[in-house]
Each structure stands twice: as C-alpha cells, then as structure tokens.
Amino acid sequence: MLSGRRLDLLDPSPLDVEMEDIAHGLARVARWNGQTLGPNAFSVAQHSLLVEEIVGRIAPEAGVPIRLSALLHDAAEYVIGDMISPFKAVLGGEYGVVEERLERAIRLRFGLPPEAPAAVVKLIKRADRAAAFLEATRLAGFSIAEAMEFFGAPEAVPAETPLEPWPADVATRRFAERFAALQK
C-alpha cells in the first residue's frame, strides 16, 4: 500500500489497514467498469459517499456506527477492485472468502464489530440499490424501466444530488473528510 503497509490478502490484519490507503484506492476504482458519462470515472469512493447519504435519508436516526458501516460497505474494493455480482458468482466461494476477511479486518480497524448486524446490512443494501439506480439512470445509460428491473424502485434517492464523477484527488479528499467527520 502507499502507506507502506503490507496487507496479507489471505489473512489481513486490522493493523495493516489505513484510511489513507482506503480513500486513495477507492477513489481510483471505477464503478460500472468505467462505462459512465463524463471525463472522470465514477469511483467507488463517490458511490460510498452516496450510499452513506442515502442511509441517512432512509434512517435519519442512524448513529455513527451505522453511517460508518455504510461509508465502508465496499471498502474491501480498495484492494480487490469492484466486480459485478454475476462475475463474483462465476469466481465462486474463494473470492467471497477473501472479501469477507478484508471486510472484517477493515471493520475491526475502525472500531466496528467484525460483522454488521443483519438489520444494518439490510438498510445498507437498500441504500446501495437506490444509489445503483441513480448511477445507472444518470451515468450508465440505463432507462428508468431497465433500472427498475435490475434494482427495483429506489427509495430516498436524493433527486437534487448531482452525479458528476469527480477527479480521483477530489474523491479521495471527500471520502477521507467524511470518514474523519464520522470519527469525531
């Protein structure tokens, strides 16, 4: 990692996870395999910020651990990249094992339980689908009907939120700033 840490993918230690590496990496991983409008890729960092915002709209009472869980819901992708779910299924269980180990190390590093409670996972998944719907229709060329078919009807989608992909340095900074704000 740029921080100088060495992360063992098969047995990741929370001690080798650094927020700077996560923010940097996620800001450089493209959602939709880079097939989005604009001069910059829509990054996983920007997506994560959107999901965390939507969680706050769906559940305004959500506390810091839930909001932090939402922000970090795809954090393992700073190391392993973003793959579409059908391709993950083709790769099979070993991919899932590596992803789960990374997620646990990340959660532990930042004071969260190794696994999010089922209700939190469900809430984040709802927000993730809403974000995917918004991204699909505004950035990735999906019609409303296509997005409804794949992601269902969105809830709490912030209609006024512009979705212009940010340069990597902006996404890195904003992700790190939001993380710091949640940690206070």
Side-chain angles (χ1 to χ4, degrees):
M1 302 294 126
L2 285 178
S3 66
R5 297 284 187 184
R6 299 293 179 250
L7 189 65
D8 182 344
L9 289 178
L10 299 180
D11 187 22
S13 168
L15 298 175
D16 291 327
V17 174
E18 295 293 340
M19 177 45 56
E20 296 78 17
D21 293 330
I22 293 172
H24 179 86
L26 292 183
R28 285 155 179 77
V29 175
R31 292 268 297 163
W32 306 95
N33 289 326
Q35 299 298 309
T36 54
L37 299 172
N40 299 299
F42 189 78
S43 71
V44 174
Q46 193 170 354
H47 163 78
S48 297
L49 287 161
L50 179 60
V51 169
E52 191 259 334
E53 177 186 347
I54 295 171
V55 162
R57 289 172 182 261
I58 293 172
E61 73 288 353
V64 168
I66 294 171
R67 301 290 291 259
L68 186 58
S69 291
L71 184 66
L72 297 174
H73 81 282
D74 281 338
E77 294 178 10
Y78 90 101
V79 176
I80 58 176
D82 185 25
M83 284 193 240
I84 58 174
S85 297
F87 190 58
K88 286 180 185 179
V90 169
L91 293 176
E94 290 305 310
Y95 177 87
V97 169
V98 170
E99 185 177 41
E100 286 175 18
R101 288 178 182 163
L102 283 166
E103 288 172 357
R104 286 175 189 252
I106 291 164
R107 291 181 60 78
L108 288 170
R109 170 64 175 90
F110 299 115
L112 297 169
E115 293 181 21
V120 172
V121 171
K122 185 176 178 181
L123 172 63
I124 293 169
K125 192 53 92 176
R126 287 169 51 199
D128 197 24
R129 280 193 305 275
F133 180 94
L134 191 60
E135 295 164 15
T137 56
R138 292 204 187 160
L139 297 172
F142 282 58
S143 69
I144 299 289
E146 288 172 320
M148 291 282 285
E149 180 181 333
F150 286 104
F151 308 111
E155 58 181 304
V157 171
E160 69 283 355
T161 302
L163 278 189
E164 183 169 327
W166 303 326
D169 61 330
V170 172
T172 299
R173 186 183 82 251
R174 290 184 180 173
F175 186 92
E177 288 171 352
R178 183 61 186 146
F179 174 83
L182 288 170
Q183 288 289 289
K184 289 186 177 179

